[in-house]
Structures are given as structure tokens and as C-alpha cells.
Amino acid sequence: MSLINGLKQLIRDASEYIEQISTNEPVSIEVNLKDENEAATLQINEAITVQEGSHNPDARILMNKTVFDKILTGEADFGALIGRSKYSDKRPIDFEIINTNKTNQIMTSLYNLMTVFFTPGKPKIKKLTRSLAGDAHGAHPIPLVYSDGIRSGWYTIDTGETLNESGEKDPYSQLFVIIKGRGEAQIGDTRITLEPDSAIYIPLNTSHSITALKTMQLLWLAWNTPIM
């Protein structure tokens, strides 16, 4: 399927979610298939429209056609492929902010596109499997909801891997819900054993890491988060 037709299909699929994607100020985001030299521009305001070609975009999403085709068929997860530990990390889907005067609006639109728009079908259903997960923070996430004030994701941590090995500190509230597997967490100076059916709250500005002793799956939720 061509880029323009694929984006039109995603717009139709997102018709029931338009209130979650719409913006008060217009934002233009170019979607660019690098290997095909093909571009189309999403115009996001009270509705979403698409034009073939590049039309003064505020930001640009870049990927290869194979990646785009897999997103359309549900064989790849957009959020997992654009997610990264640091903005400078290279991932299968890249992102450029062009109009820095609209950075907050652009990031809000990107989060909304990641959450619902680039998930095909009606209603929106994400498959939570290791094969669709990305690579970030030493583990394998699939982002679920990212918005101003809240973030959430599903993680797989393979046996022997450590999520946040460097002991990340964050200035917002968060918790991990252990679904399966077994591991250990280092929360500040305290080390604890992790088992399924438990939730761990992380204190603000406290170093934390999780090491899987047996492959783990968990949900991550953060709130009072900044847009960037």
C-alpha cells in the first residue's frame, strides 16, 4: 500500500478517537519513507487530514517502507520502534522537530499519534508480545499511553537483563506492576525480591533498577510527568 493510502486508512481507523488526537493549534507532521523518497503531511487540528508530499511541516517522522507496511498490518508497533532511552539514540523510526516554537504541541501530537493513530484497526488493540517490543533502558518496552502528565508501558526484561542498570532517577511518581517472572529491584539503598501480583512504588528522585532472574513482564505507570 502506498504511503498516502496507508495514512488515509489510519485516519479512517482513528475516526472514533479524533478527540484524543485533535489539537487547539494546528500541527503539521510529515511522514517520510526514506528508502522510497516518499512523503505525506498530516495536518492535525480539530480533525486530521493528509496531503501527498511535504508541506511546511513542524516535525518529521522517518522510517522505511517495510516498517510502515508492518505497522499497517499489526506486525510492528510504532511506539516500540520510535521509543528510545535518549533522544539521540537511533531507532527504526526517527523523529525530527523542525519548528522549535511548537515543541510542546508537537510532542503532544506525537504522543497521541503513538498511542492510538499508528495502531491500526477498530477498536484500537495493542498486542503485548516480546516480538513486538522495542529496546530501551536495557529492556524491551511497548509504550501504552503517553500524554501530558501521564506515561505507561508494558515491559519484558529477559533473564539476566537489568532495566535502568545505571540507577535512573526521575522527578515524578511511578510504579511497576509485576505480571510474571522473578527478579530483584534496587530502590535507593534497599534491595528487594520481586514476584508476580505485586506493585512497587518508586520514591521521587530515587535511583531504581530491576534485574530479571527469570524473564519478567511488567506494567510501568508514571504520573505528573512533563511533556518532554
Side-chain angles (χ1 to χ4, degrees):
M1 185 180 295
S2 69
L3 174 61
I4 190 74
N5 288 335
L7 290 173
K8 286 179 179 179
Q9 179 62 58
L10 290 172
I11 289 173
R12 289 191 292 270
D13 287 351
S15 59
E16 297 174 2
Y17 299 82
I18 190 62
E19 291 184 1
Q20 293 172 240
I21 304 172
S22 61
T23 59
N24 293 327
E25 297 183 28
V27 174
S28 298
I29 298 182
E30 175 189 322
V31 180
N32 189 297
L33 302 184
K34 300 180 294 183
D35 55 337
E36 297 286 325
N37 196 27
E38 187 178 3
T41 305
L42 294 169
Q43 306 286 350
I44 307 169
N45 200 187
E46 294 178 355
I48 306 177
T49 59
V50 62
Q51 292 178 277
E52 196 163 4
S54 180
H55 299 273
N56 299 314
D58 298 308
R60 182 176 291 114
I61 296 169
L62 303 102
M63 68 184 92
N64 289 333
K65 188 175 191 305
T66 300
V67 171
F68 182 68
D69 288 345
K70 286 184 176 181
I71 289 169
L72 292 178
T73 59
E75 298 175 78
D77 184 274
F78 178 90
L81 296 183
I82 199 172
R84 60 201 70 198
S85 302
K86 299 180 294 183
Y87 188 77
S88 59
D89 290 349
K90 292 301 179 183
R91 300 290 291 129
I93 300 176
D94 208 354
F95 186 71
E96 300 174 352
I97 294 176
I98 299 170
N99 184 355
T100 55
N101 292 324
K102 287 187 175 182
T103 296
N104 283 353
Q105 298 99 306
I106 291 167
M107 292 306 300
T108 297
S109 291
L110 177 65
Y111 287 161
N112 291 335
L113 293 176
M114 180 175 70
T115 298
V116 290
F117 180 78
F118 279 108
T119 300
K122 295 182 184 181
K124 302 297 183 181
I125 300 172
K126 276 186 177 283
K127 298 176 183 177
L128 303 180
T129 66
R130 172 68 174 84
S131 62
L132 294 178
D135 297 290
H137 304 288
H140 313 285
I142 295 178
L144 297 178
V145 175
Y146 269 58
S147 187
D148 188 11
I150 186 169
R151 302 177 191 178
S152 65
W154 177 90
Y155 274 84
T156 293
I157 312 174
D158 293 335
T159 300
E161 291 183 333
T162 298
L163 174 64
N164 297 335
E165 186 170 12
S166 60
E168 185 171 328
K169 297 181 180 181
D170 300 300
Y172 44 77
S173 303
Q174 57 190 310
L175 66 83
F176 294 97
V177 179
I178 311 306
I179 301 170
K180 65 181 294 186
R182 185 169 56 88
E184 293 180 339
Q186 185 74 37
I187 312 297
D189 296 329
T190 304
R191 194 159 187 87
I192 58 174
T193 299
L194 300 179
E195 295 180 344
D197 304 320
S198 59
I200 306 109
Y201 290 83
I202 308 301
L204 272 65
N205 299 306
T206 300
S207 63
H208 56 280
S209 62
I210 295 176
T211 299
L213 303 178
K214 181 180 179 181
T215 295
M216 301 177 70
Q217 291 179 358
L218 55 84
L219 291 175
W220 168 70
L221 176 66
W223 59 101
N224 297 327
T225 58
I227 195 67
M228 287 286 285

